[in-house]
Amino acid sequence: MQLIDGTYQYSGGVDTLSIAEKYGCPVYVYDFDIIKKQYNRLHSAFEGIPVKFNYACKALTNINILRLIKSLGAGLDAVSVQEVKLGLRAGFDPNEILYTPNCVSIEEMTEVVGLGVKVNVDNISMLEQFGQHFEGYPLCLRINPHIMAGGNSKISTGHIDSKFGISFHQLPLVERIIKATGIKVEGLHMHTGSEILDAEVFLRGAEILLGTASSFPDLEYVDFGSGFKVPYKENDIETDIEDLGEKIGERFKEFCKSYGKELTLKFEPGKYLVSESGTFLTKVNVIKQTTSTIFAGVDSGLNHLIRPMFYDSYHKMINVSRPEGKSRIYTVVGYICETDTFGINRKINEIQEGDVLAMMNAGAYCYSMSSNYNSRYRPAEVLIYNGQDHLIRKREVFDDLLRNQVELEF
Ligand SMILES: *Cc1c(COP(=O)(O)O)cnc(C)c1O
């Protein structure tokens, strides 16, 4: 969304306020051109390297988004059997889907193996069971390189106390199990957590993973997960993708030479592909002035966008209704009966009740984390594609709240 000639617009000149009017607030809007731009930038950064990007779809799972991301040439990273099924429904080949679950049952694993997708195993117990149940089915191992990285402890997954992955200290045991069961390991994987700021951190993890590779003679690919950071505010740090591409690309080529085989380098971007494509349009219901604060209360809350309350994450806010004018300081809150603050002391163009407030970077982990808390409806989703707006998910209605409830007669 950009300010052009005094109005906020999406790609192709689609007017933001018209979208808010046409579909009503609150509404999520995704601009496909931005997803495409991000994908192409990633791809160019690794030019000359056999690279594959698997979209980590837990960030945003609308089926149309999956189809469009597939059309760009991406594969899919799925963390549940349900995401696997969405991916298959969107047209991904089973071979293009890597299933990376955590603490799932052998029953779910069995179902996924039945669908023929690639699987990533992240604990020793599953590895042993895998050998017994699925002889000859190739798999990927999620290794925990024990690196503390990420924006905060909730999204950091690679450190020593994390529940994710098989510790690289346990590799001797892994090797014994593989020998005993004849399991074929075709991929090694790590995902150290979100928001990695520095190519050096990536490289440190990469060295640990590549250092283990010589113990696995059947590798086809090495997967470095994700952690690509996007800017959430002005002058915010972002991952320097071009620098990362150059450094990792070079190291990977060197590695393939010593391994004696050209492998595929894989990544699993979620946030990087979809975060900036999304805006969440809300309407300001109430302006409430106290002795110290001006609150702007919007027609949404932690039921629709929980990241600020859950992770203390920052979403920039723009008064779409008043592109020009004086700014004032607002604390923006939701309508949920619970403290649900979107942002404290934000400089926003003077708000009047009824104005449309856009929350930026609302493509990743926003709709996909939404709920019906307070018995509110989940919002609609709209896609901007080729200069046109398309409804891609209807707003919920009252029947949705009762859909799976069993009403008894007393
Ligand atoms: C969530 C997740 C990702 C994506 O992380 P982003 O920070 O959104 O890019 C990648 N890989 C795995 C295994 C994940 O669980």
Side-chain angles (χ1 to χ4, degrees):
M1 191 181 82
Q2 278 182 318
L3 186 58
I4 298 170
D5 297 334
T7 55
Y8 283 98
Q9 299 175 11
Y10 295 110
S11 297
V14 178
D15 179 58
T16 305
L17 272 183
S18 319
I19 294 293
E21 239 162 67
K22 180 169 172 184
Y23 298 97
C25 288
V27 59
Y28 278 100
V29 187
Y30 310 116
D31 191 333
F32 180 64
D33 279 5
I34 294 177
I35 299 177
K36 192 159 136 188
K37 186 184 95 201
Q38 292 294 96
Y39 182 85
N40 288 338
R41 189 172 162 201
L42 264 185
H43 213 270
S44 317
F46 288 87
E47 208 166 334
I49 310 290
V51 70
K52 180 90 183 176
F53 298 101
N54 285 342
Y55 168 51
C57 71
K58 71 178 188 288
L60 176 63
T61 43
N62 188 290
I63 191 93
N64 302 284
I65 300 289
L66 300 187
R67 287 201 175 112
L68 286 175
I69 290 182
K70 176 182 160 38
S71 77
L72 297 174
L76 199 75
D77 179 69
V79 294
S80 67
V81 62
Q82 292 83 1
E83 284 187 357
V84 168
K85 287 179 178 173
L86 282 171
L88 292 171
R89 168 81 169 246
F92 286 93
D93 189 88
N95 248 320
E96 296 177 301
I97 302 177
L98 178 64
Y99 168 65
T100 300
N102 180 253
C103 293
V104 295
S105 64
I106 188 74
E107 288 79 14
E108 180 165 326
M109 190 59 96
T110 305
E111 191 180 353
V112 170
V113 167
L115 295 170
V117 307
K118 293 187 182 300
V119 299
N120 198 355
V121 166
D122 102 324
N123 66 78
I124 301 263
S125 159
M126 183 60 80
L127 185 65
E128 287 174 324
Q129 295 181 69
F130 204 92
Q132 291 161 15
H133 288 80
F134 317 113
E135 227 189 300
Y137 198 92
L139 55 76
C140 180
L141 286 184
R142 179 172 187 170
I143 306 293
N144 188 331
H146 304 315
I147 290 168
M148 187 62 194
N152 64 58
S153 62
K154 282 188 188 135
I155 56 175
S156 176
T157 57
H159 58 89
I160 192 118
D161 297 322
S162 164
K163 68 168 183 162
F164 295 97
I166 298 171
S167 165
F168 78 96
H169 299 302
Q170 289 176 304
L171 278 173
L173 176 56
V174 168
E175 280 175 58
R176 278 205 298 281
I177 296 169
I178 287 172
K179 278 223 177 73
T181 54
I183 287 172
K184 185 182 165 212
V185 176
E186 64 166 11
L188 288 181
H189 169 276
M190 68 169 201
H191 171 65
T192 51
S194 279
E195 302 199 348
I196 294 167
L197 311 176
D198 191 324
E200 292 303 318
V201 177
F202 244 97
L203 272 171
R204 259 199 293 150
E207 287 307 329
I208 290 169
L209 197 70
L210 297 178
T212 67
S214 54
S215 315
F216 304 95
D218 302 320
L219 293 183
E220 306 280 342
Y221 59 91
V222 174
D223 188 329
F224 286 151
S226 180
F228 305 135
K229 179 174 169 22
V230 293
Y232 276 69
K233 28 179 146 172
E234 267 130 81
N235 304 319
D236 206 358
I237 310 168
E238 63 182 306
T239 305
D240 185 341
I241 295 293
E242 287 74 22
D243 181 50
L244 193 74
E246 208 167 290
K247 287 186 174 143
I248 293 200
E250 206 151 292
R251 178 67 189 95
F252 188 70
K253 272 199 228 161
E254 205 177 283
F255 164 76
C256 290
K257 211 181 259 174
S258 69
Y259 188 75
K261 183 174 169 190
E262 185 162 284
L263 306 184
T264 303
L265 175 60
K266 294 191 182 185
F267 289 98
E268 302 162 348
K271 185 183 287 179
Y272 189 81
L273 290 182
V274 297
S275 174
E276 291 164 298
S277 80
T279 47
F280 182 47
L281 305 181
T282 62
K283 197 182 78 184
V284 177
N285 283 338
V286 176
I287 296 290
K288 183 173 188 173
Q289 187 149 4
T290 67
T291 46
S292 60
T293 306
I294 313 176
F295 288 101
V298 299
D299 62 351
S300 180
L302 61 77
N303 51 330
H304 297 154
L305 200 163
I306 201 173
R307 299 184 76 251
M309 306 84 185
F310 194 27
Y311 298 138
D312 292 325
S313 60
Y314 185 99
H315 290 265
K316 187 179 165 188
M317 291 177 233
I318 294 173
N319 185 352
V320 177
S321 302
R322 287 169 219 284
E324 269 129 46
K326 267 197 330 229
S327 56
R328 300 189 72 177
I329 306 295
Y330 295 93
T331 288
V332 179
V333 295
Y335 61 11
I336 290 295
C337 290
E338 190 97 41
T339 300
D340 57 347
T341 305
F342 285 109
I344 296 174
N345 295 338
R346 297 296 186 80
K347 210 168 144 185
I348 300 171
N349 281 0
E350 183 154 2
I351 304 174
Q352 289 181 23
E353 292 177 357
D355 283 358
V356 174
L357 199 63
M359 307 204 184
M360 307 304 287
N361 283 79
Y365 308 107
C366 291
Y367 190 94
S368 64
M369 286 191 177
S370 66
S371 75
N372 286 123
Y373 189 45
N374 280 204
S375 297
R376 298 280 183 188
Y377 305 143
R378 266 177 284 224
E381 293 183 298
V382 170
L383 172 73
I384 309 294
Y385 179 67
N386 278 346
Q388 299 269 315
D389 51 288
H390 305 268
L391 182 66
I392 56 170
R393 191 191 302 258
K394 294 183 215 165
R395 185 182 310 287
E396 286 180 333
V397 293
F398 188 66
D399 278 348
D400 293 314
L401 299 178
L402 283 168
R403 185 171 308 281
N404 290 316
Q405 296 198 42
V406 179
E407 277 188 275
L408 303 180
E409 301 284 333
F410 295 106

